[in-house]
Amino acid sequence: MSAMPRTSADRAPAADRAPAEHEHVEAGAAQAEHGWTHRHLLDVDVLSAADIDLAMQTADEMKEILGRPIPKVPTLRGTQVTILFYEASTRTRVSFEVAAKNLSADVVNIAASSSSVVKGESLVDTIRTIEALGADMIVMRHGRSGAPYLAAQVFSGHVLNGGDGWHAHPTQALLDLYTLRDRLPGGRVAGRKIVILGDILHSRVARSNVWTLTTMGADVWVCGPSTLLRGFDRWAASMPAGRRLTVTTDLRAALRGAHAVMALRLQQERMAGGLLPSLREYSMRYGLTAETLRWARADALVMHPGPMNEGVEIGPEIADFERSVVTDQVANGVAIRMALLYLLAGSGPIEEGRNRA
Amino acid sequence: MTARQIMTADDVRRAVVRISHEIVEKHGGTDRLAIVGVQRRGVPLARRVVDAIEEHEGVRPPIGALDITFYRDDLSMVAHQPIVKGTDLPFDVNGLTIVIVDDVLYTGRTARAAMDALMDFGRPSAIRLAVLVDRGHRELPIRADHVGKNVPTSRDEVIRVHVTEFDGADEVVIDRLAVAEVRA
């Protein structure tokens, strides 16, 4: 019965005054360990290492649920989750929807292109409308950086940022971290060299990953053409002590000794802005191929947040390569989003959330 | 603080051994029997029940751990989400008699959640409940099949079961709920 000690010893954190039975919690007895205190998930810059560990630990339990014949638990029964996407998305939107449904939440999907938004309704009015229709949580994607902050000011429930402009994509960064911890030998990113490669400037995925990975002690390198790295050298210089971020245009230096490489999607419209001379030149200098990957460690992992432009930022031979963890990233995304929906549902001023009309 | 010990380590050990005999007697052996502890303190207690059964029957029934957090009916009433400890049922529950082991039986809501959780894994032929302490005040039509000790309590008292694995020693104490702990 080797399974038992693993459950209680490895997963359970240090001994605490956990209530003997959950009725005791109802009676207001001691809270166990470190709880989740964030009402919204707008960015990862506010998350401490302990918060991130709690999210990872909760995702482990969600993964156990995903392994069941019927991956569904009644945890968020009666909670309405509204998914409001102003930008096109398949994996993130479906991943949130599957996650919410696995927790028995009621899911409402709104694509801005087919809603009153096209008639000119403002974001604030849209959020108020969604709230009046009974939403407890809003998962939001918006093309403008900061839009979820405005939503959070208006909405009395919980807001989850599903990507805003160039700013943040918190659940992507957390699922990337989860995948790295799952697949790197030793199960941790501290001290490991992680490279983010490509269009760093326009990437919310890059920004959020820099925050979470440096928080967890990784040696983070961002690499790309100098036009797509603007401002990052100043960010690197202002990193607090103990956080490691290196900015380089030299792909070979970035990949040398790397434990994992995350290629980012190169958006075609960047060419029009004059930031890149040509796709061909970009893919020759910065494309991740079997050739260039040889500079990294022999066991280096290859990641991509998707959707991939095979033959541009990533060679087709790499995309479905044995060390590619792209499909793990997608599968882990559901577990991470379940964990965050669960943690957020219990955070913040509950009375306010419950008593509104 | 008026904490008072109501079971010593020896009392706990004897209760566990008696429960282990009762389980086997009621089931008529150990065939198709499994023991499942409720996180957290039900888990070490379940392990001891299994150890005791192995000692007197020479057979070790399969053992599992159940986290009922996702099945609670009071998630909206607690300040922060409880931290999940993990479910691990390394066997097929279909057709087994499963004995749920927990430390304290109080309102019965944990036992209900544990049954819901278990039934998401399949269809056990029977589910039974074994607890170290039954303190009364049931809010649901649930009773334990095997009880270590019945302890009449009032609602402003709290039963704390301590186990060596988490608390350094085995004992059960009864305590007044501190004023600060009573919800305003």
Side-chain angles (χ1 to χ4, degrees):
Chain A
M1 296 310 112
S2 59
M4 282 285 289
R6 181 169 59 80
T7 306
S8 50
D10 290 352
R11 292 192 198 158
D16 61 274
R17 254 172 21 102
E21 202 184 11
H22 85 254
E23 286 82 354
H24 299 177
V25 179
E26 275 175 30
Q31 259 304 311
E33 300 139 354
H34 172 89
W36 185 264
T37 53
H38 304 280
R39 179 171 156 203
H40 307 293
L41 183 69
L42 304 176
D43 195 356
V44 284
D45 61 348
V46 294
L47 300 184
S48 65
D51 289 330
I52 292 173
D53 276 332
L54 177 59
M56 298 291 127
Q57 188 195 332
T58 310
D60 279 340
E61 304 314 328
M62 297 304 178
K63 220 171 166 181
E64 180 271 312
I65 293 171
L66 291 174
R68 297 181 188 178
I70 303 170
K72 203 175 177 85
V73 289
T75 317
L76 294 188
R77 204 169 49 192
T79 301
Q80 193 188 109
V81 176
T82 296
I83 302 179
L84 175 63
F85 270 43
Y86 286 85
E87 274 187 351
S89 161
T90 315
R91 73 192 70 210
T92 305
R93 190 184 54 74
V94 173
S95 179
F96 267 114
E97 181 167 348
V98 170
K101 285 180 170 168
N102 288 347
L103 295 173
S104 302
D106 299 316
V107 180
V108 176
N109 252 303
I110 303 174
S113 55
S114 60
S115 71
S116 295
V117 171
V118 295
K119 299 179 188 168
E121 187 177 56
S122 74
L123 176 60
V124 168
D125 285 341
T126 303
I127 299 294
R128 290 206 173 113
T129 305
I130 290 170
E131 176 160 357
L133 289 169
D136 298 294
M137 306 178 92
I138 294 178
V139 178
M140 181 175 168
R141 167 167 292 189
H142 201 286
R144 295 298 175 100
S145 301
Y149 288 79
L150 179 60
Q153 281 173 21
V154 180
F155 186 54
S156 68
H158 309 276
V159 178
L160 266 104
N161 184 356
D164 63 328
W166 302 355
H167 169 242
H169 194 347
T171 55
Q172 179 71 44
L174 291 168
L175 75 88
D176 288 339
L177 177 63
Y178 187 84
T179 305
L180 284 166
R181 283 164 59 131
D182 197 36
R183 293 294 297 266
L184 283 175
R188 49 207 292 268
V189 298
R192 305 305 172 93
K193 181 173 179 181
I194 316 287
V195 182
I196 308 175
L197 172 65
D199 182 1
I200 309 293
L201 177 63
H202 303 96
S203 176
R204 54 192 174 217
V205 175
R207 282 182 182 75
S208 286
N209 263 302
V210 167
W211 279 114
T212 52
L213 291 171
T214 57
T215 301
M216 302 316 280
D219 179 16
V220 181
W221 288 58
V222 293
C223 177
S226 56
T227 48
L228 298 179
L229 287 171
R230 236 169 23 207
F232 275 75
D233 42 358
R234 237 173 311 137
W235 190 12
S238 64
M239 275 280 159
R243 291 188 183 229
R244 285 190 287 170
L245 174 63
T246 312
V247 182
T248 181
T249 56
D250 181 351
L251 182 61
R252 185 187 275 258
L255 290 181
R256 192 176 300 127
H259 292 84
V261 189
M262 191 182 299
L264 301 175
R265 189 166 75 94
L266 187 78
Q267 290 163 322
Q268 312 275 342
E269 53 272 26
R270 299 303 161 222
M271 247 67 59
L275 293 171
L276 285 177
S278 78
L279 268 190
R280 235 162 78 106
E281 184 172 338
Y282 176 83
S283 92
M284 278 179 58
R285 284 198 57 191
Y286 291 103
L288 192 62
T289 62
E291 196 69 28
T292 52
L293 195 60
R294 229 169 275 150
W295 297 330
R297 283 170 59 101
D299 58 355
L301 302 174
V302 174
M303 307 176 81
H304 195 296
M308 290 191 275
N309 293 317
E310 287 185 25
V312 181
E313 73 268 3
I314 191 163
E317 76 280 12
I318 299 293
D320 41 28
F321 160 74
E322 57 185 32
R323 282 181 280 129
S324 157
V325 295
V326 174
T327 50
D328 292 46
Q329 287 174 278
V330 177
N332 290 337
V334 176
I336 279 287
R337 290 176 177 116
M338 287 169 75
L340 285 150
L341 287 167
Y342 167 73
L343 291 170
L344 286 185
S347 66
I350 291 142
E351 282 71 25
E352 276 178 36
R354 290 279 142 190
N355 293 343
R356 65 178 192 279
Chain B
M1 293 294 272
T2 52
R4 181 164 55 85
Q5 191 183 52
I6 53 174
M7 289 179 90
T8 63
D10 276 337
D11 293 337
V12 171
R13 179 180 53 78
R14 288 187 200 107
V16 166
V17 169
R18 175 173 55 76
I19 287 172
S20 74
H21 281 284
E22 285 180 12
I23 288 171
V24 175
E25 185 184 7
K26 187 170 173 105
H27 182 64
T30 55
D31 187 36
R32 308 198 65 68
L33 176 70
I35 312 292
V36 170
V38 177
Q39 293 278 14
R40 291 183 73 198
R41 285 172 178 72
V43 173
L45 291 173
R47 197 178 308 136
R48 288 177 211 190
V49 168
V50 168
D51 288 344
I53 292 175
E54 188 178 22
E55 185 133 316
H56 53 76
E57 299 296 320
V59 176
R60 194 174 173 84
I63 179 167
L66 206 53
D67 188 306
I68 54 99
T69 311
F70 296 128
Y71 296 85
R72 291 167 58 143
D73 60 2
D74 62 345
L75 278 178
S76 59
M77 292 155 73
V78 294
H80 297 299
Q81 297 296 55
I83 288 163
V84 189
K85 311 287 187 212
T87 290
D88 192 358
L89 295 175
F91 47 82
D92 180 5
V93 305
N94 286 298
L96 297 189
T97 291
I98 296 195
V99 181
I100 295 172
V101 178
D102 204 0
D103 53 357
V104 181
L105 178 60
Y106 183 21
T107 62
R109 288 176 194 269
T110 301
R112 183 208 61 91
M115 286 189 281
D116 282 355
L118 209 47
M119 283 196 287
D120 270 2
F121 286 86
R123 187 181 185 279
S125 69
I127 298 178
R128 303 197 203 289
L129 178 62
V131 295
L132 187 60
V133 175
D134 181 349
R135 62 167 293 191
H137 302 287
R138 215 76 75 237
E139 293 169 1
L140 298 171
I142 281 172
R143 57 155 184 79
D145 299 276
H146 312 288
V147 178
K149 186 180 179 72
N150 282 294
V151 181
T153 59
S154 72
R155 280 183 177 276
D156 59 357
E157 285 170 322
V158 60
I159 300 281
R160 298 192 203 279
V161 172
H162 295 158
V163 293
T164 314
E165 288 86 337
F166 300 137
D167 313 292
D170 285 351
E171 63 169 354
V172 179
V173 297
I174 186 166
D175 200 355
R176 289 263 153 211
L177 214 50
V179 178
E181 285 180 298
V182 178
R183 181 172 296 215

